[in-house]
Amino acid sequence: MINIFRSFNPLNVIWLVVVLFLSRLGYLFHVPDKLEFVFVEPFARLLVPVAYEYAFSPVLNVLIAGVLVFIQALLLNYLINFYNLLGKPTFLPALMYVTLSGLFAPFLMLSAPLICNFLVIWMLFKLFNLYKGDDAKSTSYDLGMIVALGSLIYFPFIYLFLAIWIALVLFKPFNWREWLAGVLGYGTIFFFLAVFYYLNDRLGKFSNIFLPLGTKFPDHISINVKSYLLLIPVILILVLCFFKLQQNFFKSYVQIRKSFQLLFFIFLIAAFSFYVNSAFHLNHFILCIVPAAVFFAYYFLYASKKWFYESLYLLLLISLICFQFNNF
């Protein structure tokens, strides 16, 4: 399977659909009677004055989520090949994204974090362009607006604002105007939201939007045991990827090295921003699969022992399919 996707062949799109179907087939047999889809945060609910939470049947909900994942996988694959992050054209980023997006049941349904992955990919296009781009101020302003838009959909997305400043540190010499431009971009969206609150006589509650940022970081997280079992091959592949990256790190171009550093920081930011939610939801971590898919693709592209990397990927794929067919 890995060898098929190592090459950049348009026919791989067909195989990608097959993997997408297999990684969701088990869940369709155990899909709940109702699946709620919350598109925006409660503080932005007035912007969408229609009842949409149960607009889709459970099966249609999962199918639409699968279509969105497929589109995101192709966009991510185009992004990685466009900036040549892996050194050669390949379909592995798309394969890894589709596989990781089927890791847990909450990943398989429509959710705000899933929608926000479009914004993460959009941000990456602009962030990687900072290295050679001339006008970083306008890019930074646009990125601030993207983060603000993501915050309306899913509030923990606000922490991805840090990725803008990290990218400026990595890619550009310090210029306070570029740093400020991101803040102004973010403030532009929330300024119009404040106007909307004012027009609806709710301006006094506007400051409550940012209260979750003061939430105490939790001491522990309650996750189902089977989730830990599924994470074993994921963690193993990540560790192998970082070893492979370390071996080739100084052989790569400066832009490639800095791009992978940025992806690592985005992974950490997405992972640790879950605490902002009042209730823990596993679907938050779907934000992590964009950078994780790139790391996975890097390892499988440069791994040398075919029997090992093919077996490792099959272990991951078979594990997530088995856990979907069984409720344990």
Side-chain angles (χ1 to χ4, degrees), residues 82-85 124-136 139 167-168 170-173 178 253-256 258-259:
F82 181 81
Y83 286 101
N84 197 30
L85 256 63
L124 287 176
F125 269 103
K126 290 184 171 292
L127 289 169
F128 291 153
N129 194 49
L130 282 173
Y131 185 77
K132 293 183 178 178
D134 296 326
D135 190 8
T139 302
L168 289 173
L170 292 173
F171 294 144
K172 308 291 289 186
E178 295 170 354
Y253 292 110
V254 174
Q255 182 180 5
I256 304 303
K258 291 187 175 184
S259 296

Side-chain angles (χ1 to χ4, degrees), residues 303-319:
S304 55
K305 295 181 179 179
K306 181 179 178 181
W307 68 269
F308 182 74
Y309 65 71
E310 291 283 4
S311 301
L312 193 58
Y313 176 73
L314 284 177
L315 173 64
L316 176 62
L317 186 61
I318 292 172
S319 298

Side-chain angles (χ1 to χ4, degrees), residues 43-281:
F43 64 79
R45 188 64 180 84
L46 287 175
L47 299 175
V48 189
V50 292
Y52 66 87
E53 286 82 358
Y54 297 99
F56 305 115
S57 67
V59 173
L60 185 59
N61 183 302
V62 175
L63 291 177
I64 293 175
V67 172
L68 295 183
V69 165
F70 181 74
I71 296 171
Q72 290 170 351
L74 294 180
L75 288 173
L76 178 63
N77 202 80
Y78 173 76
L79 166 71
I80 300 307
N81 288 327
F82 181 81
Y83 286 101
N84 197 30
L85 256 63
L86 300 182
K88 59 183 76 172
T90 175
F91 251 96
L92 283 174
L95 174 65
M96 294 303 127
Y97 186 86
V98 165
T99 304
L100 290 173
S101 66
L103 198 59
F104 302 115
F107 288 10
L108 304 176
M109 60 189 75
L110 281 173
S111 63
L114 177 62
I115 302 299
C116 283
N117 270 354
F118 280 109
L119 301 180
V120 174
I121 296 171
W122 188 11
M123 285 184 67
L124 287 176
F125 269 103
K126 290 184 171 292
L127 289 169
F128 291 153
N129 194 49
L130 282 173
Y131 185 77
K132 293 183 178 178
D134 296 326
D135 190 8
K137 292 189 292 295
S138 61
T139 302
S140 181
Y141 182 85
D142 292 343
L143 285 164
M145 293 184 71
I146 294 172
V147 174
L149 180 60
S151 303
L152 298 181
I153 298 172
Y154 185 61
F155 191 65
F157 197 85
I158 190 175
Y159 276 107
L160 281 175
F161 187 89
L162 296 175
I164 304 174
W165 285 347
I166 292 172
L168 289 173
V169 170
L170 292 173
F171 294 144
K172 308 291 289 186
F174 178 75
N175 184 331
W176 66 270
R177 294 178 181 85
E178 295 170 354
W179 287 58
L180 182 61
V183 178
L184 293 176
Y186 190 93
T188 299
I189 297 295
F190 273 81
F191 170 77
F192 286 110
L193 182 63
V195 171
F196 188 81
Y197 265 62
Y198 173 76
L199 294 176
N200 287 272
D201 296 323
R202 298 183 61 183
L203 189 59
K205 298 181 179 180
F206 182 75
S207 60
N208 295 341
I209 293 174
F210 302 98
L211 290 179
L213 294 176
T215 304
K216 183 181 178 182
F217 197 83
D219 297 326
H220 67 280
I221 308 171
S222 298
I223 303 179
N224 194 299
V225 174
K226 72 176 184 180
S227 300
Y228 287 114
L229 295 175
L230 270 175
L231 286 176
I232 293 175
V234 173
I235 294 173
L236 176 59
I237 296 171
L238 275 177
V239 171
L240 291 172
C241 166
F242 291 137
F243 273 114
K244 186 65 68 174
L245 275 170
Q246 185 183 29
Q247 291 173 4
N248 301 330
F249 190 72
F250 292 105
K251 299 177 184 178
S252 305
Y253 292 110
V254 174
Q255 182 180 5
I256 304 303
R257 296 203 299 264
K258 291 187 175 184
S259 296
F260 272 100
Q261 289 173 351
L262 176 62
L263 286 169
F264 178 70
F265 282 116
I266 289 175
F267 179 84
L268 292 180
I269 292 168
F272 288 104
S273 59
F274 71 91
Y275 82 97
V276 176
N277 271 347
S278 56
F280 173 73
H281 296 289

